Amino acid sequence: MTSLTLIGAALRRRKTRTFLTFSSVVFAFLLFGLLSMIQSAFSMGVEIANEDRLVVRHRVSLFQMLPQSYEADMERVPGVVDAVHMTWFGGVYQDPANFFMQSPVEPAEFLDMYPEFQLSDEAKERWISTRDGAIVGRATAERFGWEVGDRIPIQPTIWTLAGRPETDAWEFEIVGIYSVSVEGGDETQMLFRYDYFDEARSFGRGQVGWFAVRVADPEQAAAVAAAIDETFRNSAAETKSEPEGAFAAGFANQVGNIGLIVTGILGAVFFTILLVAGNTMAQSVRERVGEIGLMKAIGFTGARVQRLILLESVTLVTTAGFLGMLLAVVAGRGMSAALSAYLPGLALRPEDMLLGLGLAVLTGLVVGIFPARRAMRLRTAFALRRL
Amino acid sequence: MSETDSAGNGPMVEARGVVRTFRRGRTAVPVLRGLDLRIADGEFLSLMGPSGSGKSTLLNLVAGLDRPNEGEVVVGGAPIHRLSERRLAAWRARNIGFVFQFSNLLAGLTAEKNVALPLLLTSFSGAERKRRVAIALEIVGLSDRARHRPRELSGGEQQRVGIARALVNDPALLVCDEPTGDLDRKTSGEILDLLAALNREQGKTILMVTHDPEAAARGSRTLHMLDGQLSATAEAEAVVA
Ligand SMILES: Nc1ncnc2c1ncn2[C@@H]1O[C@H](COP(=O)(O)OP(=O)(O)OP(=O)(O)O)[C@@H](O)[C@H]1O
Ligand SMILES: [Mg+2]
């Protein structure tokens, strides 16, 4: 028999109450795990961002267009090596639920700018010689069973076809399937040719969404960004240039300020956990006044009793927290497949797991500290007299 | 019986000039006002007296659960009034067996684990612990209930487990505060038989507080407490009653 026997016995005292508290902590940490995974998936773009790339967008918002002619202007700014443009297409394949990002690009330039996009040489050739050719990420190709040579209709939501009914779909021929060579890279996009897009769209000719700019010296990235913005100051469309990571983070924030939502939900959840588990521990100690008084009488010191009760609450919260996060990992595996289009790579990062465990230990301590102190201070004679 | 003839090794308990005053808000409540007490080694002393007269207060001082405001308490040669809380706790673990009105067994533990509780504070080997638990349960006649949980035991059996727990560290002094206060007459008799046997056969010195004159009569001597003073006769109590 050890101290652990005592802790086990204390937790088994009221099995239903312990079970309910345990379950609510499990759910809290399941939620913590899932939200962490979603948040890290969103911020993945930030982490894999390249240090020598800038993103240049309209100063007002991501959804305002810029003239394509800016590309040449930017390439003349000292410190800029290359610039390419992209545009949010926002088309639908069969069902709006089948979301994946599409964008028109200049094939050769795009692949130069993003060397992590791996495409075979034949595919590249085909793309350059096929006007309505598109390349697609491996994840999306697998998801819909597309193969090279397939013709894929994409229903426009913004960019309708010139001289055609609004309901007419664009059609692209799959000329290649790309993969991304870095961990967590986005293999869901569909990229097609800008020249085809610009000629066929019904409005907005010569307008693009944003630019990616490579700088010669990452150290000078901030200065180059300022110089680009300066170039277009007082023009009809002023720009805002940022390092790629900041842009990715900003993009995620536009999607719904995930970080804040996650923190908010977790704050509420943990506050509830503090109340639930705190109440359980307080009640349990209150019921055990006689037992604790007796333990102190027979020689357990106040400090030892305090330690036992803290350990009891830390054990309760930490085992439940660990189980909750394991469930999150399992659930994440399942969701990963279903959500792969939106969120590349849904997995609980080791640092989030550690954070969760740390949080669990901390919660256990906070929850246990007041009952534990109460038990420590309990006057033995008083505790035994009253009963 | 006189207090010197039970054993030759001097007194088990020697309290002199003990003052214990409690504070209740702003007012001081003097409970013991310069009390002397001697319990010989091997004695079975019963302590009676009206409610609130200070019996438990005195027992707590003798058992090292509390310290006097003034005076000395020497138990088994140790001046326990001078020990710090920490040392007192360690001293109690080795020297005192406690039996209270309620056994306060840990509900989640079996009888044998409850008995083993005080051994957590010792460095005995696992085998020695098992041996001691078995002997203690044997003495109280509950060897066959070792694996039962408290709620599967009767009130008298629970109290026996409590006594086994008090014995497991083999203390020289047992302090019992109304050990039969919650039991019916027959069960009380069995518990008192057990205490008397422990006193007679194991040489345990016993200090027992009780309200029951019949229970008190099982001891080798009875003291009466009234208003914080001890006397050998029941007269004082008779006056109050
Ligand atoms: N910790 C304490 N704080 C304040 N007052 C106390 C404390 N302990 C005991 N007293 C008071 O001291 C007096 C004696 O209490 P004690 O418990 O010793 O009585 P008792 O003789 O054991 O009574 P009973 O037969 O009811 O158990 C009572 O008035 C009690 O209220
Ligand atoms: Mg009392």
Side-chain angles (χ1 to χ4, degrees):
Chain A
M1 173 156 124
T2 62
S3 296
L4 282 181
T5 323
L6 291 183
I7 289 165
L11 290 173
R12 262 182 280 115
R13 237 175 141 267
R14 294 231 190 267
K15 292 205 186 74
T16 313
R17 184 175 65 198
T18 300
F19 175 75
L20 290 176
T21 308
F22 188 85
S23 312
S24 59
V25 178
V26 168
F27 276 110
F29 277 86
L30 172 60
L31 199 59
F32 168 85
L34 290 176
L35 290 176
S36 300
M37 290 186 320
I38 289 170
Q39 189 178 17
S40 77
F42 269 101
S43 59
M44 199 78 95
V46 181
E47 275 160 33
I48 64 172
N50 210 298
E51 288 191 318
D52 64 359
R53 283 198 298 245
L54 299 175
V55 172
V56 180
R57 62 172 172 86
H58 195 285
R59 206 180 131 190
V60 176
S61 101
L62 183 56
F63 302 108
Q64 306 255 335
M65 308 291 284
L66 292 169
Q68 193 249 319
S69 62
Y70 276 19
E71 183 176 329
D73 297 337
M74 273 183 259
E75 282 168 348
R76 278 194 296 274
V77 172
V80 172
V81 176
D82 191 15
V84 302
H85 58 80
M86 297 184 77
T87 304
W88 181 263
F89 186 72
V92 168
Y93 174 65
Q94 289 176 342
D95 186 316
N98 291 341
F99 173 85
F100 55 92
M101 181 183 147
Q102 312 106 18
S103 172
V105 298
E106 316 262 12
E109 280 191 63
F110 177 87
L111 293 171
D112 279 350
M113 178 63 70
Y114 293 99
E116 64 267 34
F117 279 63
Q118 313 263 294
L119 193 64
S120 70
D121 286 340
E122 312 91 87
K124 207 189 280 184
E125 295 282 299
R126 266 199 304 276
W127 199 12
I128 286 165
S129 62
T130 311
R131 217 171 118 70
D132 58 358
I135 62 168
V136 65
R138 194 168 52 187
T140 297
E142 278 170 13
R143 181 171 172 214
F144 301 118
W146 294 345
E147 279 164 18
V148 171
D150 287 355
R151 293 193 68 81
I152 307 299
I154 302 286
Q155 197 65 44
T157 58
I158 308 165
W159 303 110
T160 50
L161 286 155
R164 304 258 292 271
E166 283 191 5
T167 49
D168 273 16
W170 292 68
E171 217 176 81
F172 301 104
E173 180 184 334
I174 304 294
V175 293
I177 291 168
Y178 74 83
S179 56
V180 179
S181 58
V182 295
E183 183 73 29
D186 182 357
E187 295 185 342
T188 67
Q189 300 181 22
M190 181 183 208
L191 301 163
F192 48 85
R193 280 170 53 166
Y194 176 76
D195 53 352
Y196 170 56
F197 167 72
D198 196 43
E199 225 177 87
R201 63 176 156 177
S202 61
F203 66 98
R205 293 239 166 100
Q207 300 283 309
V208 298
W210 66 91
F211 295 90
V213 173
R214 183 185 303 288
V215 296
D217 177 6
E219 300 274 301
Q220 296 298 312
V224 174
I228 292 171
D229 291 346
E230 188 53 39
T231 306
F232 303 110
R233 188 181 305 271
N234 296 324
S235 70
E238 297 193 347
T239 58
K240 180 170 166 187
S241 307
E242 296 170 308
E244 193 174 73
F247 174 78
F251 190 82
N253 283 346
Q254 297 237 4
V255 173
N257 208 342
I258 299 294
L260 196 66
I261 293 173
V262 166
T263 313
I265 294 176
L266 288 181
V269 166
F270 279 95
F271 184 69
T272 313
I273 284 305
L274 287 184
L275 294 184
V276 171
N279 183 53
T280 295
M281 285 306 298
Q283 228 176 311
S284 165
V285 166
R286 215 175 301 130
E287 287 166 5
R288 280 186 284 162
V289 161
E291 294 180 12
I292 292 166
L294 183 115
M295 286 172 70
K296 292 177 85 172
I298 65 175
F300 284 79
T301 59
R304 182 157 183 160
V305 168
Q306 168 169 291
R307 260 199 320 276
L308 276 172
I309 295 194
L310 271 181
L311 211 56
E312 182 182 325
S313 111
V314 169
T315 305
L316 176 70
V317 179
T318 310
T319 48
F322 188 67
L323 184 64
M325 285 188 287
L326 283 187
L327 289 178
V329 169
V330 173
R333 293 242 169 88
M335 283 164 52
S336 240
L339 288 179
S340 64
Y342 303 91
L343 297 170
L346 207 54
L348 192 56
R349 296 180 301 181
E351 59 262 42
D352 284 335
M353 188 83 166
L354 279 179
L355 175 71
L357 283 179
L359 206 57
V361 171
L362 193 71
T363 309
L365 287 175
V366 169
V367 158
I369 190 70
F370 293 105
R373 294 195 73 84
R374 190 192 141 123
M376 180 183 77
R377 283 197 294 259
L378 193 72
R379 299 245 339 167
T380 310
F382 173 77
L384 293 168
R385 195 163 57 118
R386 215 187 36 145
L387 286 161
Chain B
M1 243 184 250
S2 94
E3 49 182 82
T4 45
D5 64 357
S6 301
N9 324 350
M12 173 60 71
V13 177
E14 177 96 67
R16 276 186 299 266
V18 170
V19 173
R20 186 68 178 106
T21 304
F22 292 110
R23 306 217 126 261
R24 203 173 281 143
R26 288 241 182 116
T27 51
V29 184
V31 178
L32 305 179
R33 293 171 261 184
L35 172 143
D36 297 328
L37 171 68
R38 237 174 110 87
I39 306 175
D41 192 1
E43 205 177 350
F44 184 166
L45 179 67
S46 302
L47 187 56
M48 299 194 70
S51 198
S53 57
K55 303 182 297 294
S56 294
T57 302
L58 177 59
L59 178 135
N60 289 342
L61 288 170
V62 166
L65 286 173
D66 192 15
R67 274 174 299 187
N69 300 93
E70 281 174 43
E72 298 180 354
V73 183
V74 180
V75 179
I80 61 168
H81 57 284
R82 291 211 210 109
L83 298 182
S84 66
E85 290 255 359
R86 237 196 140 69
R87 282 169 182 268
L88 259 185
W91 177 84
R92 289 196 303 269
R94 270 178 283 112
N95 297 284
I96 304 291
F98 287 94
V99 183
F100 296 100
Q101 178 173 0
F102 295 96
S103 48
N104 275 313
L105 303 177
L106 304 196
L109 296 182
T110 58
E112 63 181 358
K113 293 227 163 101
N114 266 290
V115 173
L117 187 64
L119 296 172
L120 268 186
L121 302 168
T122 67
S123 52
F124 291 128
S125 67
E128 175 63 10
R129 291 182 190 202
K130 277 213 177 83
R131 195 179 72 85
R132 285 179 169 248
V133 169
I135 292 173
L137 281 171
E138 174 77 43
I139 290 174
V140 301
L142 283 181
S143 300
D144 54 334
R145 315 302 294 272
R147 296 285 160 82
H148 289 237
R149 287 181 194 261
R151 93 169 82 75
E152 297 156 2
L153 301 172
S154 71
E157 286 166 340
Q158 289 184 21
Q159 192 59 298
R160 282 164 186 274
V161 174
I163 294 172
R165 182 181 58 197
L167 293 173
V168 79
N169 270 340
D170 198 21
L173 178 61
L174 292 181
V175 296
C176 313
D177 199 345
E178 302 185 35
T180 59
D182 194 43
L183 302 175
D184 62 39
R185 191 142 283 283
K186 178 168 170 294
T187 316
S188 293
E190 289 164 11
I191 294 293
L192 290 165
D193 289 343
L194 177 57
L195 291 177
L198 287 170
N199 172 248
R200 203 171 50 239
E201 289 153 25
Q202 316 271 335
K204 302 290 180 205
T205 305
I206 298 179
L207 170 58
M208 176 177 75
V209 168
T210 181
H211 280 284
D212 175 6
E214 254 180 68
R218 301 296 301 267
S220 46
R221 180 165 65 117
T222 302
L223 287 177
H224 295 264
M225 180 168 276
L226 185 66
D227 292 339
Q229 297 295 327
L230 288 172
S231 68
T233 62
E235 282 167 37
E237 211 174 348
V239 174
V240 173

